[in-house]
Amino acid sequence: MTLNDYLILSAIIFAIGLVGVIRRKNLLMLFFSTEIMLNAVNIGLVAVSKFHQDLTGQMFAFFIIAIAASEVAVGLGLLILWYKRRGDINLDTLQSMKG
């Protein structure tokens, strides 16, 4: 595969994630869509890194993976807490937060 093939694949996966972020109302699906977008960026970074024989892109990819893992851990913890309080994780119910 050429670099263009990897970048096109990355763009398609990123677009799928972006559509998921824009269209979904469920917070869990919003997290999944965000993860898809981050993985698309990782594919692009690793592909560019490989074709330029430079490890910088791969190091950024590992950094993004670590950030994504911490995002999921904190986000799922907050989602569980929100679900216990409200019984729903719909995005519309978050707009009615009380102080």
Side-chain angles (χ1 to χ4, degrees), residues 36-93:
I36 289 172
M37 290 170 56
L38 288 174
N39 285 328
V41 171
N42 283 340
I43 290 172
L45 284 174
V46 170
V48 169
S49 172
K50 179 185 178 286
F51 281 96
H52 287 286
Q53 301 295 325
D54 186 18
L55 291 178
T56 306
Q58 294 177 19
M59 288 181 359
F60 275 118
F62 282 124
F63 183 71
I64 289 173
I65 290 170
I67 295 296
S70 63
E71 173 219 342
V72 167
V74 171
L76 287 179
L78 290 173
L79 275 179
I80 290 171
L81 182 65
W82 184 260
Y83 184 75
K84 283 182 179 178
R85 287 188 172 192
R86 297 285 180 140
D88 189 14
I89 54 173
N90 192 349
L91 192 59
D92 292 332
T93 60

Side-chain angles (χ1 to χ4, degrees), residues 7-27:
L7 293 179
I8 289 171
L9 174 69
S10 174
I12 290 170
I13 293 173
F14 189 85
I16 291 170
L18 186 63
V19 168
V21 166
I22 292 172
R23 301 221 25 177
R24 294 292 178 170
K25 294 286 184 178
N26 188 331
L27 282 177

